[in-house]
Amino acid sequence: MFGKVLIANRGEIACRVIRSLAGMGVGSVAVYSEADRRALHVRMADEAVGIGPPPAAQSYLDIDAIVAACHETGAEAVHPGYGFLSENPAFAERLAVEGIAFIGPRPEHMRTFGLKHTAREAAAASGVPLLPGTGLIDDLAHAEREAERIGFPLMLKSTAGGGGIGLQVCRKPEDLPRLYDQVRRSAEANFKESGLYLETFVATARHIEVQIFGDGKGRVVALGERDCSLQRRNQKVIEETPAPGIDAETRRSLLDAAIALGRSVDYLSAGTVEFIYDVGRNAFYFLEVNTRLQVEHPVTEAVTGIDLVEWMVRMAAGNLDLPDQDDLPTPQGAAMEARIYAEDPAQNFRPAAGRLTHVAFPEGVRVDGWVESGSEVPPTYDPMIAKVIVQGADRADAAAKLSAALAESRLYGIETNLDYLRQIADSSMFRDGDVSTAALGSFDFYPATIDVLAPGAQSSIQDWPGRLGYWAVGVPPSGPMDPLSFRLANRLVGNPVDAAALEITLTGPTLRFNTDALIALCGAPIETRLDDSPMPLWTTVPVKAGQVLVIGKATDAGNRAYLAVRNGFDVPVYLGSRATFALGGFGGHATGCLRTGDVLRVNREGAEAEPVDSLPEAVWPEIGRKWEVGVLYGPHGAPDFFTEDDIETFFDHDWDVHFHSNRTLNQWF
């Protein structure tokens, strides 16, 4: 067995491999870019080596830097994870030259299956069913001739790469020139390989893959199939095993085809044979082979009890006797995995970056991830931050557990697809197993968010009574400056008085609602428009998704107003409160005071009373320019500092409180 293994990757797969190595008693070495110097995998590993600046080409794809890290630490082997160098045959060959083991398949396997057109040739030679298609296309004229032969609609596919990059559906002949050029340029930019081919398009298709493992000597086993049909723009979202609605004969044929293909090349280590399943014909066709560990491998581990990373390490070390197919453990129950991405579903899944202020997952659920409260998600890499994996007695049980686990998960600070996943898991489409690669294209997602188009002068989330009792550790009281207006705003929309609401100071924000809402604005008179219409204060106002609320300047007396939304804003509790402490950099929304581009989340439930149409003026707090406050003599009231005439003058005059004054009341007096 190896004494020390280097993980040439980052994020959740690096953490995953480190955990397996620790369980085997094998030392771990992490590598990291400057962007990841404080990442979880760096702290988890026994040793860590920096390998370059944030761009992957100068760090995680730098073969020389990774080889140097191996020599520096004495690592005897490298586990590549997935992505980056995991399917790079030149990397595996370089390691062999350096006397370092590559934990994965042989370079010739990567070359055979690394290009989809050669993979199709290998599949055809081993008798695996293929969709009608072509070899490599020479030019546009060649593509047009082959398209006429195959018929429309069809797929244009880059022969290199994966993960949905370099795929386009062409539905009519006039679109072919544009899509041909688009796929060719995308493939060249992403994979330095512009080759592409055509393949028949299956309208109602499912994506089913088989996990194989080989000993490199002709023995190959299949560890069951996974359904990865729920995809967004060809990127997998939720995976499961066993595949729903597949009969035993078809399942056996899928496994046999994958085994035959693996045996035909004496496949070594872990790999995945992917198929397109035509629901209408109950037929499957070869898609591609991934010569690495898959992102969704945990669902196979959950039902088989096999640690695939451990198998890979032991096989590379030469101390794994691969069992026969008939001697494998019988899969138990069903398992599902949901991928959590740092992205905003309401903004066409735009990737998000920044600090996660609060991260919490439920106990008793497997979570493969790399984030925790305080983690910084860089903009440089793939936005996947965690995977939630559940196992149940059957599919219905697993689906219920997945829904519960997602409902209990919490991620704050930046936007994620967590709410999107929750809605999928709760949908009848998913619960009924009515999945296909096109299902999410027509899935209606309803975000409960508000986009901050402009932040205003000093807008922040507060709650009542705020954060109290922490003066001893240097945290002053936080909360609304005008607590009565704050509570009345919540009362109007039916919220409990302590629900989180937005405090607006002097000049308010511009907000675009992505959800229908009921709002109320209370406090100082302030210019407010909903779309093109003035909006009254002290009144509940319904808002439709897509409408824009512009809160302008305070117009008369008072500086602060309060915007409450029914159910309250969804922010985490920190030191007993949701209130923002802007100078301390915690509480409230992730950035403290609002910034342009922030996204405010609205709770989907939480109101405890029926809303009130409006509040009579008699109950509005008096907001004027003159306030009478009570004060007590302090040490400076003694005659040593002030005469009796000074004290009389002080109490006989009006005083202006400057806007630079500290807002904390018990510091003023």
Side-chain angles (χ1 to χ4, degrees), residues 48-196:
V49 179
I51 54 172
Q58 301 173 47
S59 51
Y60 295 108
L61 293 173
D62 188 335
I63 293 176
D64 289 339
I66 292 172
V67 169
C70 289
H71 290 314
E72 178 183 339
T73 60
E76 304 156 78
V78 170
H79 195 298
Y82 36 72
F84 293 134
L85 296 169
S86 61
E87 295 177 281
N88 186 317
F91 178 51
E93 289 168 342
R94 172 69 182 279
L95 291 177
V97 170
E98 301 285 343
I100 302 165
F102 178 81
I103 300 175
R106 291 193 289 261
E108 60 264 31
H109 299 148
M110 300 181 202
R111 289 196 168 93
T112 297
F113 296 119
L115 296 177
K116 296 184 182 72
H117 75 284
T118 57
R120 282 175 58 90
E121 293 168 1
S126 61
V128 178
L130 294 173
L131 278 169
T134 71
L136 283 182
I137 296 297
D138 298 326
D139 51 32
L140 178 59
H142 185 198
E144 290 173 333
R145 292 194 302 272
E146 291 293 324
E148 184 177 355
R149 177 180 65 83
I150 295 172
F152 292 88
L154 54 80
M155 292 287 290
L156 291 88
K157 292 188 172 184
S158 162
T159 187
I165 300 174
L167 300 179
Q168 289 290 339
V169 179
C170 183
R171 299 187 181 277
K172 47 191 179 181
E174 52 266 36
D175 291 338
L176 186 60
R178 172 179 58 83
L179 294 175
Y180 172 84
D181 186 56
Q182 183 176 328
V183 172
R184 183 182 57 79
R185 286 187 286 105
S186 174
E188 176 64 32
N190 287 282
F191 313 121
K192 309 303 180 187
E193 168 61 65
S194 61
L196 61 86

Side-chain angles (χ1 to χ4, degrees), residues 154 269 275 282 306 348 369 380 463 470 497 510 513 536 545 578 592 609:
L154 54 80
S269 196
F275 298 93
N282 188 29
I306 294 170
N348 198 26
T380 321
D463 69 357
Y470 292 94
V497 293
T510 299
F513 285 73
R578 296 177 176 85

Side-chain angles (χ1 to χ4, degrees), residues 344 346-347 415 447-453 502 509-519 543 547-549 563-566 568-569 589 594-595 597-603:
D344 187 353
Q347 297 293 328
E415 283 307 286
T449 58
I450 301 171
D451 294 331
V452 179
L453 304 183
L502 191 63
T510 299
L511 307 172
R512 179 176 59 219
F513 285 73
N514 299 317
T515 181
D516 293 349
L518 186 68
I519 64 174
V543 179
Q547 287 193 286
V548 175
L549 177 66
L563 179 70
V565 58
R566 185 166 174 83
F569 289 101
H589 184 61
L594 298 192
R595 298 187 304 186
D598 281 351
V599 178
L600 297 173
R601 304 179 195 170
V602 180
N603 288 311

Side-chain angles (χ1 to χ4, degrees), residues 7-26:
I7 303 94
N9 218 297
R10 66 175 300 276
E12 60 89 15
I13 184 57
C15 296
R16 161 75 181 93
V17 174
I18 290 168
R19 291 188 185 99
S20 280
L21 293 174
M24 299 167 64
V26 176

Side-chain angles (χ1 to χ4, degrees), residues 527-535 548-552:
E527 298 171 348
T528 307
R529 301 185 70 83
L530 183 60
D531 288 342
D532 295 327
S533 302
M535 193 188 93
V548 175
L549 177 66
V550 180
I551 303 176

